[in-house]
């Protein structure tokens, strides 16, 4: 800013004391301090705005370079994929024709004739009924009624 030494500051203070007077000097010094503070804040704001705009320009340039690189990579991937598809089609052309011929014959569906609802056991029904083997599930109420203790008469 302004290069003012200690001797020059003392000279300015003595002149201000003579011209303004000792009663108004503190108020004038406060006003000058606030004005200098506002000026410094304004200069700092301008500097930060300039720095932000420079950073924004740098970011825009960086974004463009990244986008260009992404486009180049995408194009190279697409060309590699198309080349691979062409090579694959040439290599598997004869094999796929043979596979399609073998897959054209599809066997017809035939019902196996099973009835999964029927239980097929090896034990005959007369044996189960004679020995008391349960063949049907009992409900809760039927189970209570069957196993309820009988009253003695």
């Amino acid at each position: 800013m302004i290069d003012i030494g200690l001797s020059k500051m003392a000279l300015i203070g003595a002149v201000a004391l003579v011209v303004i007077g000792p009663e108004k000097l503190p108020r004038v010094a406060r006003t000058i301090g606030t004005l200098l503070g506002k000026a410094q804040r304004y200069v700092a704001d301008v500097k930060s705005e300039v720095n932000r705009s420079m950073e924004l320009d740098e970011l825009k340039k960086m974004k463009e370079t990244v986008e260009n690189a992404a486009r180049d990579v995408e194009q190279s991937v697409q060309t590699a994929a198309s080349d691979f598809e062409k090579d694959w089609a040439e290599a598997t052309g004869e094999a796929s024709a043979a596979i399609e011929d073998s897959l054209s014959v599809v066997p017809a569906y035939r019902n196996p004739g099973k009835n999964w609802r029927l239980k097929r056991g090896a034990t005959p029904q007369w044996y189960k009924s004679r020995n008391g083997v349960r063949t049907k599930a009992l409900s809760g109420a039927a189970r209570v009624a069957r196993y309820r203790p009988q009253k003695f008469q």
Side-chain angles (χ1 to χ4, degrees):
M1 238 171 114
I2 301 173
D3 187 25
I4 300 176
L6 189 60
S7 61
K8 291 181 183 178
M9 297 260 300
L11 181 64
I12 292 172
V15 170
L17 185 61
V18 170
V19 172
I20 297 173
E23 297 88 24
K24 294 183 182 178
L25 186 61
R27 188 182 314 151
V28 171
R30 257 194 314 266
T31 306
I32 290 173
T34 56
L35 291 176
L36 283 174
K38 287 182 182 179
Q40 287 177 347
R41 282 192 294 272
Y42 178 73
V43 168
D45 288 344
V46 169
K47 282 183 181 179
S48 67
E49 187 66 32
V50 168
N51 287 337
R52 256 188 263 136
S53 64
M54 289 171 53
E55 289 174 1
L56 187 63
D57 291 339
E58 290 175 7
L59 286 175
K60 284 182 181 178
K61 289 177 185 176
M62 190 182 302
K63 177 186 172 190
E64 290 174 0
T65 57
V66 167
E67 286 177 350
N68 290 337
R71 279 192 218 105
D72 293 342
V73 168
E74 183 181 4
Q75 289 175 354
S76 65
V77 166
Q78 286 179 352
T79 55
S82 63
D83 292 342
F84 176 75
E85 287 177 0
K86 289 176 186 175
D87 293 343
W88 183 259
E90 290 174 2
T92 60
E94 299 146 2
S96 63
I99 291 172
E100 288 175 3
D101 291 341
S102 65
L103 290 179
S104 62
V105 178
V106 178
Y109 175 75
R110 189 175 62 85
N111 192 353
K114 295 180 181 178
N115 190 355
W116 56 271
R117 290 186 179 96
L118 292 178
K119 293 183 179 179
R120 297 187 183 120
T123 310
Q125 285 292 342
W126 61 267
Y127 180 82
K128 290 181 182 179
S129 62
R130 184 175 292 167
N131 292 322
V133 176
R134 269 192 280 171
T135 57
K136 296 181 177 140
L138 292 176
S139 67
R143 195 175 302 113
V144 168
R146 180 174 180 183
Y147 296 111
R148 179 176 291 137
Q150 298 295 325
K151 293 183 181 178
F152 294 106
Q153 293 179 354

